[in-house]
Each structure stands twice: as C-alpha cells, then as structure tokens.
Amino acid sequence: MNSLFPTSADFLRTLPVIILAIFGTLLMVLEPLTGDGKGEKPQLRWLAIIGLALAMAGAVVAYGDRGAAFNGMLMVDGFGIFFSVLVIGTGLLTVFCAQDYLVREGHENGEFYALLLFSIAGQCIMATANELIILFIGLEISSIASYVLAGFLRDDRRANESAIKYFLLGSFATAFLLYGVAWIYGLTGSTNLAVIQNSLAANPANPRLLAVAVALMFVGFAFKVSAAPFQIWAPDVYQGAPAPISAFLSAGPKAAAFAIFLRVFTTAFDASFEKWEPVFWVSALLTMIIGNFAALRQTNIKRLLAYSSIAHAGYVMVAVTSHSSVGTAAAMFYLASYAFVNVGAFAVVSYVAAKGEKHLNVDDFAGLAARQPLAALVMTIFFTSLIGVPLTAGFFGKFYIFKAALDAGMVWLTVLGLLNSAVAAYYYLRVIVVMYTHEPSAAVDNLEPASSSLQFGWVTAATATIVLGVLPSALLEFASRSAILR
Amino acid sequence: MNALNLLLLIPLVGFLICLLAPKENEGLARTLALGASVLALVVGLGMIGLVVAMPTGFHYQSDIVWITTPNIHYHVGVDGFSLWMVLLTALLTPLSILASWKSVKHNANLYYAFILLLEFGVLGVFVSLDLFLYYVFWEISIVPVLFLIGMWGTEKRSAAAVKFFLYTMTGSVLMLSGIIYLYTKTNTFDFTRLAALTQTLPAEARWLMFLAFFFAFAIKTPLFPLHTWLPDTYSAAPTPVTVLLAGVLSKMGTYSLLRFCIGLFPAEAQHAAPWVAALAVTSIIYGALVAIVQPNMKRLVAYSSISHLGFVVLGIFAFNRWGLDGAVYQMVNHGLSTGALFLLVWFLEDRRGSLEIADYGGVARVAPWLSTAFMVVALASIGLPMLGNFVGEFLILQGAAKASFPWAVFASLGVILSAVYMLWMYQRVFFGEIAESVSSYMPDLTLRECVVIGPLIVLLIWFGISTSGMLEPISAANAELLNRIEGPARVAVMK
C-alpha cells in the first residue's frame, strides 16, 4: 500500500494546494513584468482571482475522490474539503475587498496576492493534515505568509509593530506545538493521528507524560485560535495590520487553526478527552468573557472587532468543548458564517477609514447611513449577525453551538455563554446606533463612493449572511455529514 | 393561502415595499403603510367568525418544515386567546401610522417600513406554535424598535434604544437557552406537543426552564423590579411608536406568560404563584405611586401602564378562571386604553410641543372634543363601570380574592391610586386657568385624529357594556387550559 511514488489520486486529492502554489509562484514571477506605473496591477489581481477560483473548483473535484493521500499524511475528507473551500472563499472575498485599499495606499502588487495564496495553501494543508509533521508544515506556511502580510505596508509603523508582535509570539507558540509533537512521538512512536489514537488506546501512555504533551499542543493551538489565556496578541495584531489583512487573519487562519484543533482532539486524543474537558471549559468561558468585556471599552473599531473575534473564538471553543460530531458541525457552520461576516465588516471599516487608515474611531462612523446607505446597511447586517439576531447566519451559528453544548450536558456553560452574547450586543449596537442616529462625521462626509469591487465584496458577504440565516439547512447538513472524523 | 399566512405576509411585503420606496416621498410611503396595515386588519377581522365559533384548539394552522436539522417548522395558528392579541395588534398599527401622518419628515419610508416590520414580528409572536419560530419573531420585533427609537426618538434616544435592546436581549437569551434545552430533551419545538412532553422532564430542569422563560417575560411585560427600561424607552420613543410599545409589545410578555410559562410548566407556575403575585402587587402599587408624582404626561402614562400590567399578571397567577379570563380581557382593554391615552397625549404634544403637565391648563375650554375624548379614556383607564377596563379588573380582583384575599385588597388600592393620578393630571391639564401656551394655539380634534381615537373609544365602551362576545371565547380557551393543567397543578398543590 505504501508506494514510493505518488499516485495520480494523491495529486487529484491535493489539487487545491497544487493550484494555489502554482498561481502563487506565477504571481511572483509576473510581478516585475506588469504594472502601469501608477501602482495598480489589475492583471495580477485577476490572476489571483482565477487562481483562487480554480483552487475552489479543485477542492470540489477532490471532494469527488475523497480518501487519504501521500501515504496517509493527508486525509482529504469532507471535513478537510469544507475548511479548504472556506479558506479559499475567504481569500476570494479578501481580494475583492482589498482592492480599494491597496490602490489607495499605492501598494497593489504581486507580493500581496502571492503571499495571500501561499497562506491559503498552507491553510488547505492544515485542514487536511492527518499527521503532526504535515500539520506543522501547513501551519508554518500559513503563518509565515501571514506574518509578512501583517507588515505588508513596509513604511507604516503600526503595521510593522503588528507584524513583529505576531511573528515573535506566533513563533513562540509554534515552538510549544512542535515540542508537544516531539513528546507525542516519544510516547507513541508515531506522528500519524490515527496511529497515535490506536497506540494510546491499546497501551495507555504514562498519564503525566501524556499530560505534558497534550498541554504543550493545547498552548500552540489555543494561541493560533486566540483562545484565552493566549489571546493577548490578537488585539494588537488586528489593530496594526492593514484592515483587509485583519479581515483575512480573523477568518482564514483562524478557521484552519480550529480545523486542526478539532481534528487532533477528536482523533488522536479522543480517548482521553474527558480529562481535558475542564481545561477547554475554562478556556472557552474565559475567552468569551475577556473578549466581550474588553470590547465594551474599545473606541477603535479595529480593536473592537479584534476583541469581538476573541469572543467569537470563545463560542467556537464551546463547540470544541462539547466534543461531539454535533459540536464539530456547529463549529464548522459557525466559522463559515463568521468568515463572511468578519471579512465584510472589516471591508466596511477599511472603506470608512480612508487613506492611511485615519478614521478608525467608532465615532467616525457617525451618520454613515445618511451618506452611504448601502455601506451602513451591510454593516448593520454584519453586526446584527455578530450579535446573533435571528435570520442572520450568526444566530444559527450560536444556536447550533449552544445546542451542541446542551446535548453534551453543559448547561452552565450555555447559560453563561448566552448571557455573554447579551453583553456583546452592547458594543455592536453602539456602532449601529452611531451610524443611524448621529449627524454625519467629517470622515463620513468626505467619503468617496465605494468601488464596484468593494461593493461586490460586501454585498456578497451580506447576502451570504442572510441566506445562511434563513436557510441554514444545506450547509449544516453538509457539515454534519463531514463532521465525523476518524 | 390561508388567512393567517396572508395576515403575516401583508406587513412583511409592506415592509419590503416601503423599504424600497423613494426616501423623499413621504406621502407615498405612509399611504402604502396605511394600506398594508388596514388590509391586515381586514384579514384579521375575517378570522373572528371561525375562531369564536370554536375557541378551543388552533385554527388556520399551517405547518411547513423550515429547517430539517434541528427540526424547525413554520407552524402557526390562532385560538380564542391569541386571536384577540392579533386583532389588537392589527388595529393599533394602522392607528399608529395614521397618528404619525404629519410628524415624520426625514426618512419617512424607513419609518413606516419599521412600523410594518414591528407588526410582522409581533403578529408572529402571537401566532407561532413552534417555539423556535416564536423566538425568531420575538427577536424580529426588537430590531425595528431599536431603529424607531434611535432614529426618530426624542432626546436621549440612543441611550434609551440601547437600554431597551439590552434588557430584552438579556431576557431572550435566557429564554433561548430554555428553548434549546427543551429541544435537546424532547426533540421537538412544537408547542402543541411540548405541553404534554414537559411533564416527563425532571423537576429540577422544569424549574430552571420556568425561571428562564419567566425572566424573559417579566422583563418584557415588565414586572417590578425589571421595569427600569420602560420609562426611558417609552418617553424616548416617538409617541405613535409608544402607542405600539405600550399597547402591543407589553402584551407579548403577558401573552407569553400565560401561553408558555403556564402552558408548559403549570406545576412550577403554581408553586411560584405567591411570589409572582407579590411582584405583581408591588408593580401595581409602585407604578401608581410613581405615576402620581410625574410632572410629565408621557411618563405618567408609562408608569400607569406598569401598574395596570401588574393586574394582568396578578390575574394570570391567580390560577382560576376568573383571574385568567379577567387577565386576557384586561390585556385587550389595556392595549386599547393605554394606546388611546398615549395617542391623546401625542395630540397635545403635537399641538404644543410639550409633555410637561405644568405647560398646560384650561384645555377643556379651548378644545372640548379633545377633552371629552381624554375624559372617557382616562375614566376607562381608572376602571369605571360600563367601560372595558372595569370588566377585566373586576374579574382579576375576583380571581385574586379567591386565590388569596390579601392580594386582592392590596391590588384594589391600585385602583384607587389610579383615580388619583389620572384625575389629578386631568384637572391640571384640562381645567383651571387657560395657560398662555394653550390660549395661543390649541385647535380641537381634526378629522384624522377623530378617525384615530374614535374606534378605540367605541371599543372601550362596547367592551364595557357587551362583554360576552369576547369573554366567552376567552373563557372557553382558558377553561381548556385549566382543564389540561389541572393534573400537574394539583400534584403541585398536594406537595
């Protein structure tokens, strides 16, 4: 069964990654050959869009031929494909929403799109990784590209600060993860998730040693998903990074990180999960509380969204804690809906912030409804979804997560989590109220109309938010079918 | 299409049309909105015949699968209880639109769109037979209120809008956790099936769910001490919207108390009844005492509303047919009388731009018809015989007396106090020296205002004289409820 040479099925199943890598390289090669001298490079933008679209098609093709690839190092199953499509879709939306920003800052170039594609390729590997080393490689591909993207505006001090912080803390956390992998290898003699699962089931390892290994890996994962108490980097990074990048970071890499989190803890450490449940429980609750209560006090909209993304990571942690296929499906649905909402919300933020991201205060959104009704409307849809009002995707996301939690008998976590979401309503509402009830601010008065690409981006995101909120069945059923990992 | 679906569809379509109507053309938007809401009223009135003939059981049902996992249905229906709530909503909405006719200048299309969305949400709450659907409508009804207050309210509107939303949201997330829990244990959201299934759950779980539901409804009604959002919200909202808040939205709380708290957890409700009755009586007296000292008419009526809703809750938790019948009867009449009071306050405010009692005086001599209308409504609110509220409050007091005599005594105190604040306000506003501000410009009721206030006064008198038309179906629906819950409730009493 183990063959030295990859088979055609191996290539077919990794089609999205291959396409992304090819297009990423192509973008780098073509970068010096294009451009009109004014800092706009529409050819590369379209190349990136085509690459992402093809990668998504590739994922659909790969779904038709599911199974292990490269000697079981990758597991291309419904779960992996779901997350691959999710991160590729996030990338596509990001490209549409970033165009205005890049052109405005005079930084539209091949590097941006190439890095974006590489980062997504890494996330696709993470989503399908069935092996700790491959998982680590995927994580690094994704992370390194993300570090650079965070500091993409070379001359901007905030972006530099953000990138350095992200890099230092991120590599620190990755080191924890890698150390955990080493311990696991020492305990079980394998890095393959299925083998580890069987090995731990057959002859239980020394519980203390196993505890150290799992704890180390938990730290690494918790950092990547910004779960408490390892969430400290997120506000600084999301605030400093260019808004479209913050959008991407809070949706794509986070979803992929949750994918590996879920996969590792429902396969390799499945048997001993009960022991870890209190840790997850506390972490989920802390993440929700820290995120929501810190967000209450924010005046900078990017920082507000950063804390909100921590809080939402807390909700997904509730789903992880429930440790069931229902919970996994709920997390998948939640992350998908969250990706649309957050990319859309950050797109509106980058639009209002204007050149140099000058207008990031919540009060800068005053009167947006009077001047730019469409932008205010989509922002309201995104924020009501973040609050969790019915008929938006965010509501069903929360509903499924807390239903999974109650299925697992976690009554108090559910009640506390839902009360948290009532607290959260306050800071989202503040923005909505400011947009609709206040007189237009100077920032809003001087806004140019949004470009068609940006409008396409946020209208797509808003439509998806509503569609998933009214007819969630199809996506949830797909998630439920794919949520059984082994 | 069955009448009930049509009833829900009309405001929804009206909402979408108004949303897309041109912003500048206020005449078009308000005409569309009025047309839609009148059409809904006509459809609603058309349902009376069948429901009154057979008040028990749900009519005009439709049950369509909406979402498969979990098993969520679009399941709606009306019985002899919810029909009156539906009609109250369908009646007050066009009146509120007509009352706003001249006053909404900016973004008129949005204003009327949100009013229709509010109607859609509230109607949905009253007719949903699927708990999930019910929750969705419940939340839908909050969103337009946020915007109506935030965009067209008076000063401090942003804070009031946020306060209203957060209060309701806190209650509703607790209710949501109760609903989800119920589903995980019973695998259904269907109200008609849940009523029997809840009895199979462990007692502790039933208690927690009862409290979760009760908390949400107590905030919505509101019941002392969860009422603190109400005065700010009512006074910050544009007065025609306050009419809907007081007349209709507060009924969401009392309706749900009766239908869900009692209907699903009768034994727990029976156990909790003394405590709830204590809160209700506190609401009655506290609301009335605070109303007496209000210098502002709108706030005075707002506090009086808290007091009167205390009666409704007291009647529900008296747990006998007099109490229940009176509570439902009073819900309708409270909607009519409080709605009418806010409308009349609005007519004064519209003329003089002030809500302070001190700014008025001697209105009776300048505007006799307005004063007469106000008098009738004020007397109805106090509970004068031959007017609708008397019947409701009398039955409630009778029911409360059967349950526990002292409560009835304390509650009667509220009736006396209501005469104090209402008549004292009336005296200061309508009699005495003609205030300078009144003498300069105070026309009598216009034709449009007569059309707005007329139906409410006619109905208040009608329901005060001829009770059987509405009371019999209510009584039949309540008798069925009491019959169904008797078993569990008796067990509770024996314990």
Side-chain angles (χ1 to χ4, degrees):
Chain A
M1 156 156 172
N2 281 8
S3 60
L4 192 56
F5 296 101
T7 62
S8 59
D10 288 345
F11 288 115
L12 192 65
R13 286 168 189 164
T14 51
L15 208 51
V17 180
I18 294 170
I19 293 172
L20 287 169
I22 290 174
F23 273 82
T25 316
L26 208 57
L27 280 163
M28 290 213 293
V29 173
L30 290 177
E31 151 65 26
L33 308 176
T34 51
D36 53 1
K38 283 181 286 187
E40 229 185 303
K41 299 199 170 173
Q43 310 92 326
L44 297 183
R45 185 193 315 143
W46 283 108
L47 194 62
I49 290 172
I50 292 166
L52 286 165
L54 282 177
M56 195 173 295
V60 175
V61 172
Y63 183 73
D65 182 36
R66 276 157 292 173
F70 293 103
N71 297 326
M73 287 205 281
L74 294 172
M75 178 55 79
V76 183
D77 49 8
F79 180 83
I81 295 292
F82 181 94
F83 277 101
S84 300
V85 171
L86 171 57
V87 293
I88 295 168
T90 308
L92 261 177
L93 264 184
T94 307
V95 171
F96 282 111
C97 294
Q99 185 205 325
D100 266 25
Y101 183 90
L102 294 172
V103 172
R104 196 166 61 218
E105 305 292 336
H107 266 286
E108 182 172 47
N109 52 34
E111 281 166 38
F112 176 86
Y113 295 119
L115 285 166
L116 193 67
L117 262 58
F118 287 137
S119 177
I120 294 168
Q123 287 149 29
C124 288
I125 295 175
M126 284 158 81
T128 50
N130 193 37
E131 211 266 345
L132 291 173
I133 297 294
I134 287 291
L135 182 156
F136 176 74
I137 291 173
L139 187 65
E140 283 298 271
I141 296 174
S142 159
S143 299
I144 289 172
S146 309
Y147 301 148
V148 185
L149 279 173
F152 179 69
L153 297 181
R154 277 188 291 277
D155 311 322
D156 186 298
R157 283 163 59 194
R158 284 179 302 182
N160 277 320
E161 181 198 332
S162 153
I164 290 284
K165 269 194 182 142
Y166 195 21
F167 171 66
L168 286 178
L169 291 170
S171 40
F172 199 55
T174 324
F176 271 93
L177 178 67
L178 197 56
Y179 197 31
V181 172
W183 277 72
I184 289 293
Y185 183 69
L187 282 170
T188 62
S190 174
T191 53
N192 186 296
L193 296 179
V195 177
I196 295 170
Q197 184 180 13
N198 293 335
S199 152
L200 287 177
N203 36 350
N206 180 332
R208 283 188 205 148
L209 298 182
L210 184 63
V212 173
V214 174
L216 285 168
M217 293 186 64
F218 178 85
V219 172
F221 290 144
F223 176 88
K224 289 295 170 191
V225 301
S226 71
F230 308 102
Q231 84 296 351
I232 300 155
W233 59 275
D236 291 341
V237 171
Y238 292 173
Q239 186 186 1
I245 298 302
S246 308
F248 176 71
L249 292 181
S250 67
K254 192 175 266 188
F258 266 116
I260 54 174
F261 209 156
L262 284 164
R263 194 189 283 274
V264 168
F265 275 87
T266 46
T267 57
F269 303 140
D270 188 43
S272 57
F273 188 85
E274 268 169 39
K275 268 189 268 177
W276 310 111
E277 197 192 290
V279 178
F280 279 84
W281 202 98
V282 170
S283 172
L285 186 61
L286 272 182
T287 314
M288 290 188 287
I289 290 177
I290 291 175
N292 281 324
F293 281 85
L296 287 177
R297 305 179 53 83
Q298 302 308 320
T299 51
N300 180 301
I301 184 93
K302 273 166 88 179
R303 218 172 160 78
L304 186 150
L305 281 172
Y307 278 111
S308 122
S309 92
I310 294 174
H312 287 273
Y315 301 130
V316 184
M317 284 296 281
V318 173
V320 180
T321 313
S322 72
H323 193 66
S324 60
S325 61
V326 182
T328 306
M332 290 161 76
F333 184 90
Y334 198 90
L335 288 164
S337 63
Y338 184 69
F340 284 117
V341 169
N342 232 35
V343 174
F346 269 111
V348 179
V349 168
S350 79
Y351 168 64
V352 174
K355 187 165 169 57
E357 296 203 357
K358 285 191 298 289
H359 307 299
L360 286 173
N361 202 295
V362 169
D363 292 329
D364 288 327
F365 282 73
L368 189 64
R371 294 285 178 273
Q372 304 290 342
L374 181 68
L377 176 68
V378 292
M379 191 68 160
T380 307
I381 292 174
F382 299 138
F383 272 42
T384 45
S385 176
L386 289 170
I387 295 174
V389 174
L391 304 188
T392 60
F395 170 68
F396 276 108
K398 278 210 185 80
F399 175 78
Y400 291 136
I401 282 182
F402 287 112
K403 182 177 164 296
L406 280 178
D407 276 341
M410 301 186 295
V411 176
W412 287 111
L413 191 58
T414 305
V415 172
L416 291 172
L418 281 170
L419 281 176
N420 244 290
S421 69
V423 171
Y426 174 73
Y427 57 85
Y428 297 122
L429 276 184
R430 219 177 43 183
V431 180
I432 297 179
V433 163
V434 159
M435 288 194 303
Y436 277 89
T437 71
H438 291 204
E439 290 301 310
S441 67
V444 163
D445 265 335
N446 298 327
L447 275 180
E448 305 279 324
S451 76
S452 53
S453 152
L454 188 57
Q455 293 198 3
F456 173 78
W458 67 39
V459 168
T460 309
T463 312
T465 308
I466 298 287
V467 169
L468 286 181
V470 178
L471 301 167
S473 293
L475 184 68
L476 188 81
E477 270 162 27
F478 183 85
S480 304
R481 274 202 307 277
S482 315
I484 300 148
L485 298 168
R486 63 179 74 81
Chain B
M1 179 184 271
N2 94 31
L4 193 53
N5 293 336
L6 194 63
L7 181 68
L8 283 174
L9 192 66
I10 292 167
L12 183 64
V13 171
F15 159 70
L16 292 173
I17 293 176
C18 281
L19 205 59
L20 300 173
K23 201 157 117 188
E24 301 76 28
N25 194 341
E26 58 169 286
L28 178 67
R30 69 190 180 195
T31 314
L32 279 171
L34 185 67
S37 57
V38 168
L39 199 59
L41 177 62
V42 171
V43 174
L45 291 173
M47 298 194 304
I48 293 182
L50 178 62
V51 179
V52 168
M54 283 188 296
T56 57
F58 292 98
H59 300 285
Y60 297 104
Q61 284 198 51
S62 51
D63 191 348
I64 301 161
V65 177
W66 171 22
I67 293 163
T68 45
T69 44
N71 190 10
I72 298 168
H73 291 236
Y74 168 82
H75 187 185
V76 293
V78 283
D79 66 352
F81 168 28
S82 54
L83 173 74
W84 307 108
M85 303 296 119
V86 168
L87 289 177
L88 182 67
T89 312
L91 173 68
L92 284 180
T93 307
L95 298 184
S96 161
I97 291 171
L98 211 50
S100 331
W101 206 248
K102 292 250 167 66
S103 62
V104 178
K105 297 286 180 232
H106 68 97
N107 293 329
N109 66 322
L110 278 181
Y111 178 88
Y112 293 110
F114 282 131
I115 296 248
L116 289 177
L117 184 63
L118 182 61
E119 182 181 21
F120 171 68
V122 177
L123 286 176
V125 164
F126 291 141
V127 300
S128 294
L129 295 178
D130 181 289
L131 274 173
F132 190 92
L133 185 70
Y134 163 81
Y135 180 80
V136 169
F137 277 120
W138 176 280
E139 291 284 296
I140 287 178
S141 70
I142 307 178
V143 176
V145 177
L146 173 77
F147 285 99
L148 284 168
I149 297 176
M151 291 177 74
W152 294 275
T154 54
E155 80 276 27
K156 291 192 184 161
R157 55 185 188 221
S158 307
V162 171
K163 194 171 178 181
F164 166 80
F165 195 97
L166 290 184
Y167 256 96
T168 317
M169 182 90 187
T170 311
S172 55
V173 291
L174 283 173
M175 175 165 77
L176 179 64
S177 57
I179 291 176
I180 304 176
Y181 185 84
L182 212 50
Y183 179 80
T184 56
K185 295 296 167 197
T186 60
N187 269 319
T188 181
F189 285 116
D190 194 321
F191 172 72
T192 50
R193 290 170 55 205
L194 273 172
L197 289 171
T198 45
Q199 299 314 320
T200 61
L201 299 175
E204 191 191 349
R206 267 182 298 164
W207 262 112
L208 283 176
M209 282 186 288
F210 168 77
L211 288 175
F213 278 83
F214 178 75
F215 195 69
F217 305 148
I219 289 178
K220 193 76 186 181
T221 302
L223 203 56
F224 180 88
L226 301 169
H227 65 281
T228 51
W229 60 270
L230 182 137
D232 291 342
T233 307
Y234 280 18
S235 55
T239 311
V241 175
T242 315
V243 171
L244 292 178
L245 292 178
V248 175
L249 264 81
S250 63
K251 304 305 167 301
M252 284 166 58
T254 51
Y255 163 86
S256 308
L257 271 177
L258 183 49
R259 176 133 288 168
F260 298 110
C261 263
I262 309 259
L264 294 178
F265 313 107
E268 287 65 31
Q270 183 92 325
H271 266 302
W275 302 97
V276 181
L279 289 180
V281 171
T282 315
S283 289
I284 294 173
I285 296 181
Y286 170 87
L289 286 176
V290 181
I292 292 176
V293 297
Q294 291 304 311
N296 177 307
M297 285 188 280
K298 208 167 162 187
R299 287 184 93 90
L300 187 149
V301 180
Y303 278 105
S304 90
S305 178
I306 296 179
S307 178
H308 288 298
L309 286 166
F311 278 100
V312 176
V313 177
L314 184 66
I316 294 174
F317 281 84
F319 259 92
N320 50 41
R321 40 175 293 235
W322 302 278
L324 289 184
D325 291 357
V328 179
Y329 205 77
Q330 178 66 356
M331 280 186 217
V332 177
N333 283 296
H334 174 268
L336 297 174
S337 63
T338 309
L341 273 177
F342 275 117
L343 282 170
L344 288 161
V345 167
W346 163 241
F347 295 162
L348 291 172
E349 181 192 2
D350 200 22
R351 285 168 168 71
R352 298 304 320 143
S354 169
L355 287 163
E356 299 299 313
I357 296 173
D359 287 344
Y360 292 88
V363 176
R365 265 185 278 171
V366 205
W369 283 107
L370 177 62
S371 311
T372 311
F374 207 115
M375 192 72 219
V376 176
V377 175
L379 289 175
S381 171
I382 295 167
L384 198 77
M386 308 291 277
L387 290 164
N389 297 41
F390 171 74
V391 181
E393 286 186 3
F394 179 80
L395 283 169
I396 290 171
L397 289 174
Q398 193 184 359
K402 297 250 184 216
S404 162
F405 196 72
W407 291 138
V409 174
F410 283 120
S412 318
L413 208 58
V415 181
I416 301 167
L417 288 174
S418 76
V420 174
Y421 59 74
M422 230 7 123
L423 294 178
W424 192 35
M425 174 185 79
Y426 193 82
Q427 181 198 3
R428 283 179 291 167
V429 172
F430 290 91
F431 297 143
E433 289 291 304
I434 299 181
E436 200 183 319
S437 58
V438 170
S439 62
S440 57
Y441 182 70
M442 181 59 83
D444 213 338
L445 288 179
T446 64
L447 181 62
R448 176 172 61 85
E449 287 168 343
C450 289
V451 173
V452 173
I453 201 73
L456 295 177
I457 292 178
V458 170
L459 284 174
L460 281 171
I461 297 172
W462 175 261
F463 290 144
I465 297 169
S466 163
T467 53
S468 58
M470 181 161 68
L471 199 54
E472 273 171 13
I474 291 175
S475 206
N478 283 334
E480 193 213 5
L481 175 73
L482 281 173
N483 199 26
R484 180 161 61 74
I485 65 178
E486 212 166 38
R490 193 182 296 131
V491 173
V493 173
M494 280 182 345
K495 275 182 200 158

